[in-house]
């Protein structure tokens, strides 16, 4: 799925990760985000929790963990890293890609 990293990628990842958890899809399908600055973007967003919606703040405050932990998402900085991580998985992967990774 082509995405724009400056757009709403984090919201899309939150929705997909929640869907994966709710329907227990992680054993049958993997979810990945490939972008050159994916780890940096995620790390920065985790520091900006006070600017996020009230529901995310409540999730953090209630000890349910950080809403941007994204346990169902493989965060990869390059297609090479992605290929190395999915080799031998034997299941389909839904990939969100942005930047140079779209080639």
């Amino acid at each position: 799925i082509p995405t724009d990293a400056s757009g709403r990628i984090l919201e899309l990842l939150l929705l997909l990760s929640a869907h994966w958890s709710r329907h227990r899809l992680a054993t049958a399908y993997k979810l990945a985000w490939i972008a050159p600055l994916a780890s940096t973007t995620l790390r920065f967003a985790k520091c900006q929790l006070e600017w996020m919606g009230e529901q995310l703040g409540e999730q953090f405050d209630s000890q349910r963990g950080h809403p941007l932990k994204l346990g169902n998402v493989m965060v990869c900085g390059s297609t090479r890293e992605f290929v190395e991580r999915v080799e031998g998985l034997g299941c389909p992967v839904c990939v969100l890609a942005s930047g140079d990774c779209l080639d």
Side-chain angles (χ1 to χ4, degrees):
I1 302 172
T3 60
D4 180 12
S6 65
R8 298 195 147 324
I9 185 66
L10 294 175
E11 289 98 337
L12 186 56
L13 287 168
L14 280 170
L15 287 171
L16 288 172
S17 183
H19 183 78
W20 250 245
S21 293
R22 190 172 26 259
H23 296 284
R24 297 186 176 118
L25 297 174
T27 56
Y29 307 96
K30 300 300 179 196
L31 183 60
W33 177 29
I34 308 173
L37 296 173
S39 295
T40 304
T41 302
L42 199 53
R43 193 169 37 251
F44 179 75
K46 285 180 180 180
C47 298
Q48 302 299 318
L49 189 61
E50 68 271 10
W51 298 103
M52 294 182 193
E54 186 175 320
Q55 186 179 22
L56 293 177
E58 289 172 2
Q59 180 180 342
F60 182 74
D61 292 340
S62 69
Q63 303 294 332
R64 286 185 282 169
H66 200 290
L68 289 174
K69 185 176 180 192
L70 301 176
N72 294 314
V73 180
M74 282 188 290
V75 179
C76 303
S78 67
T79 51
R80 176 183 289 163
E81 179 185 352
F82 170 74
V83 169
E84 289 171 359
R85 292 181 66 185
V86 298
E87 275 184 330
L89 282 180
C91 64
V93 181
C94 176
V95 178
L96 286 82
S98 57
D100 297 340
C101 300
L102 291 171
D103 293 335

